[in-house]
Amino acid sequence: MSQSPVDASKTAAWAKLRAHADGFKPDLRGWFAEDDKRVRRMTFEAADLHVDLSKALITPEISTTLLELADEVGLAERRDAMFCGERINVTENRAVLHTALRAPADATVMVDGKNIVTDVHAALQHMYSFATEVRSGEWKGVTGRRVRTVVNIGIGGSDLGPLMAYEALAPYRHGDLEVRFISNIDPTDAALKLADLDPATTLFIVSSKTFTTLETLTNARLCRAWLLDNLRARRTFHGTDEEAVARHFVAVSTALDKVKEFGIDPANAFGFWDWVGGRYSVDSTIGTSLAIAIGHDRFAEFLGGMHLMDEHFRTTPIERNVPALMGLLNVWYRNFLDAGTHAVLPYAQLLHRFPAYLQQLTMESNGKSVRWDGSPVSSATGEVFWGEPGTNGQHAFYQLLHQGTSIVPADFIGFANPAYPLTDGDTDVHELFLANFLAQTQALAFGKTKAEVRAEGTPEPIVTARVFPGNRPTTSIMAPALTPSVLGQLIALYEHITFTQGTIWGIDSFDQWGVELGKQLAQQIVPALGDDEEALDEQDASTQALIDYYHQHRVQ
Ligand code: F6P
């Protein structure tokens, strides 16, 4: 496929969208009243997901033009190039094949003359048999006791995915095994997570694609020292450090040589490949902690759900292709209605880390100012993704969603069946919960007019304060229940939405060079914090003053 992206802003469709946007007057009340087929026309099924786009701020003409835009930039061709393993991550000269991680064993995806699906399934089997050993108690610590706590040490994609899914799939977890996640280089994270653990029953998984990440390697060393000190302090262990590390440390990485250098037995290392981006890697062996928590069958269902969404994205015509439509809609909001942020509001407490997971997926992928050929972008790109579960958010920030001066497109995610059905007297609490989901999307879409506020007998001076303008766009996503498969479908849905937006903007959604400068500078600042005068002199005036403050206030 061509190395230069089509400049979306120079297409005929973009000009038409600009014309639609000029003087655009959204009118969800009117659109619903005039068009009794709107909901049917704008509701789609993708695997188990039921996606209602009818409360989006688009007309049929805008929908058609967005499809023309997809056509003009070659969305379908780029999608096909990704699935086939073309090196579409040009700045890193890599294929982008997270979709191969969830392909069935009999699929074929060729990279450099090799069917990588065979390797993927061999790595999965290695991970599954280890997970089974840990779950059954067959895997023993160095003092002969079974594992009770697994600690995943990783950050970014090597943390957020397994952590989010561990939380989301709580009802499917092994009852006698806990997983904890240490990510931050703030020593508080390791200190608190380790405080009450028994080293003899703790297993560490060092998860790092590159095995060079400062936070992860520092935390891994802290944990290794903690393990050895505490094993010896309890006087039940008389072996060598190597013996202890071999039974209490495993690693997940693409850099198996570095794993060995760290002192972890390569037999206890789980590999993956450079064609998997960190933020797309929960479905690789980076999910080892999750596989231990939920077991082989549930992990396989999780991958199966992702594959169902992949197949939907790969094979469904764009006009019915849910990730493509949601991505195009986001482009409309971002580039034509000036929406700088996008909320994701799961009505499922178990999805409380899903917005944080999506922040890395979307913002590390699409927060770019140059296109994949190095030329500057010609429009705004990645919006800020954020969110919290409902109903908590309703009592915090929904005020701005309803009556603020900017529009914030919001995705509401809900389930027909709760993970834990409870009643309050005769009331089904899940129905109360769902009523809130529906009420919020209704209020955002249709608002409340002055006349309606007055009709309630509201005193005139506060009428305008109580008006809801409506025409605040939402997408409602529902599924039967939050199963491993449905979670996989949701993740893949957002991966492909992100891909669609990146393709329209002509950016490489799979690199992350923007994280490098801060890492380099931190290395130069460390000596300045530690009293190296020369290093301090090299800093800018503000940084010097902040370091001075630190020097004055630290307790020696
Ligand atoms: O610095 C950003 C990043 O490279 C992410 O893309 C990645 O998920 C994270 O750091 C962790 O990287 P690694 O898995 O190599 O430790």
Side-chain angles (χ1 to χ4, degrees):
M1 81 170 293
S2 122
Q3 282 299 301
S4 281
V6 171
D7 183 346
S9 72
K10 301 224 161 57
T11 60
W14 196 273
K16 276 204 219 170
L17 288 167
R18 181 60 59 218
H20 289 309
D22 287 343
F24 180 59
K25 288 214 170 38
D27 180 16
L28 281 167
R29 280 190 184 217
W31 295 341
F32 269 72
E34 285 156 18
D35 178 3
D36 60 2
K37 297 201 177 52
R38 183 174 172 94
V39 176
R40 197 164 359 124
R41 211 169 18 82
M42 296 180 71
T43 299
F44 302 88
E45 310 291 326
D48 295 319
L49 305 187
H50 174 89
V51 181
D52 177 357
L53 301 180
S54 65
K55 297 192 189 84
L57 294 192
I58 47 169
T59 59
E61 296 71 38
I62 295 168
S63 287
T64 307
T65 319
L66 286 169
L67 295 174
E68 289 166 10
L69 177 65
D71 193 40
E72 284 191 75
V73 303
L75 173 63
E77 290 76 12
R78 189 163 163 83
R79 171 198 62 190
D80 296 345
M82 174 176 74
F83 276 96
C84 293
E86 278 188 38
R87 291 175 181 265
I88 63 167
N89 177 356
V90 286
T91 68
E92 295 178 337
N93 190 26
R94 287 176 182 161
V96 174
L97 279 170
H98 45 280
T99 52
L101 295 171
R102 52 262 190 157
D106 58 1
T108 304
V109 180
M110 301 301 288
V111 172
D112 299 332
K114 200 166 183 237
N115 180 12
I116 56 165
V117 177
T118 312
D119 294 352
V120 164
H121 280 265
L124 279 175
Q125 288 317 320
H126 185 202
M127 178 182 80
Y128 287 146
S129 60
F130 175 68
T132 305
E133 274 187 56
V134 175
R135 286 166 65 84
S136 68
E138 198 185 320
W139 179 277
K140 299 270 191 284
V142 72
T143 62
R145 294 176 58 196
R146 63 176 296 173
V147 173
R148 296 286 175 202
T149 313
V150 172
V151 178
N152 185 78
I153 307 169
I155 197 164
S158 300
D159 166 72
L160 286 163
L163 168 56
M164 177 278 289
Y166 177 73
E167 295 293 314
L169 300 178
Y172 299 90
R173 288 180 202 157
H174 188 297
D176 293 327
L177 270 167
E178 188 195 355
V179 182
R180 296 185 184 184
F181 295 85
I182 296 178
S183 53
N184 202 330
I185 199 167
D186 179 346
T188 310
D189 199 13
L192 290 179
K193 303 271 173 55
L194 296 175
D196 58 344
L197 291 186
D198 179 348
T201 58
T202 302
L203 173 75
F204 294 96
I205 304 178
V206 187
S207 300
S208 175
K209 177 178 168 182
T210 55
F211 228 75
T212 58
T213 304
L214 178 71
E215 289 88 338
T216 300
L217 294 189
T218 306
N219 279 322
R221 282 190 295 271
L222 286 181
C223 290
R224 184 170 56 186
W226 173 89
L227 174 85
L228 297 172
D229 290 352
N230 285 279
L231 274 176
R232 296 209 188 286
R234 294 184 188 203
R235 295 172 206 281
T236 45
F237 168 64
H238 306 287
T240 64
D241 290 1
E242 289 70 29
E243 283 165 349
V245 169
R247 300 311 298 171
H248 292 268
F249 269 81
V250 301
V252 180
S253 187
T254 58
L256 297 179
D257 49 333
K258 295 198 174 75
V259 169
K260 196 168 169 206
E261 262 168 51
F262 182 86
I264 294 175
D265 183 349
N268 295 339
F270 302 90
F272 65 112
W273 305 272
D274 70 0
W275 39 258
V276 184
R279 53 195 175 275
Y280 298 86
S281 67
V282 61
D283 43 352
S284 71
T285 49
I286 286 288
T288 300
S289 55
L290 178 66
I292 293 172
I294 65 172
H296 168 291
D297 293 357
R298 300 305 194 187
F299 196 90
E301 282 171 34
F302 173 64
L303 297 184
M306 295 180 123
H307 180 64
L308 285 176
M309 188 57 68
D310 293 341
E311 284 302 279
H312 171 89
F313 184 55
R314 190 176 68 82
T315 62
T316 310
I318 302 292
E319 61 271 22
R320 282 182 284 114
N321 190 312
V322 173
L325 292 175
M326 288 179 71
L328 290 167
L329 197 51
N330 289 352
V331 168
W332 166 246
Y333 293 142
R334 178 76 187 108
N335 295 121
F336 298 94
L337 303 189
D338 205 22
T341 87
H342 189 111
V344 179
L345 308 169
Y347 276 65
Q349 185 59 30
L350 292 171
L351 284 178
H352 70 111
R353 293 298 285 163
F354 193 55
Y357 171 78
L358 291 185
Q359 285 186 327
Q360 187 194 13
L361 173 64
T362 58
M363 292 158 71
E364 204 171 68
S365 296
N366 285 342
K368 316 264 163 86
S369 304
V370 295
R371 303 188 302 160
W372 71 65
D373 63 356
S375 59
V377 294
S378 50
S379 67
T381 62
E383 62 277 52
V384 173
F385 275 75
W386 61 283
E388 278 289 323
T391 60
N392 296 10
Q394 292 176 202
H395 299 273
F397 53 78
Y398 278 36
Q399 165 66 41
L400 183 147
L401 303 190
H402 285 288
Q403 291 185 318
T405 51
S406 316
I407 66 152
V408 180
D411 299 345
F412 281 67
I413 304 172
F415 300 94
N417 295 286
Y420 301 96
L422 293 175
T423 50
D424 172 24
D426 290 339
T427 310
D428 178 334
V429 180
H430 185 63
E431 287 185 359
L432 271 184
F433 188 36
L434 274 185
N436 275 277
F437 168 125
L438 298 171
Q440 291 297 327
T441 58
Q442 206 174 53
L444 286 162
F446 306 117
K448 195 190 240 186
T449 63
K450 256 190 207 167
E452 286 164 345
V453 175
R454 284 196 181 111
E456 287 173 343
T458 308
E460 198 53 33
I462 59 166
V463 164
T464 50
R466 301 186 66 163
V467 166
F468 287 73
N471 293 316
R472 307 279 161 139
T474 62
T475 293
S476 297
I477 302 172
M478 293 199 70
L482 182 52
T483 59
S485 171
V486 165
L487 181 66
Q489 293 170 35
L490 283 169
I491 293 172
L493 168 70
Y494 279 92
E495 286 176 351
H496 300 318
I497 291 171
T498 303
F499 174 84
T500 299
Q501 292 183 243
T503 299
I504 302 292
W505 292 324
I507 57 186
D508 179 347
S509 299
F510 302 99
D511 63 15
Q512 59 284 315
W513 297 108
V515 302
E516 293 304 323
L517 180 59
K519 292 184 191 175
Q520 278 169 18
L521 295 180
Q523 296 291 0
Q524 293 164 21
I525 289 173
V526 169
L529 282 166
D531 298 325
D532 177 333
E533 290 292 331
E534 219 172 288
L536 186 59
D537 286 348
E538 280 165 14
Q539 305 305 319
D540 65 87
S542 164
T543 306
Q544 285 185 10
L546 291 166
I547 292 174
D548 279 346
Y549 176 90
Y550 163 69
H551 286 160
Q552 282 163 29
H553 289 82
R554 70 182 158 183
V555 179
Q556 298 295 335

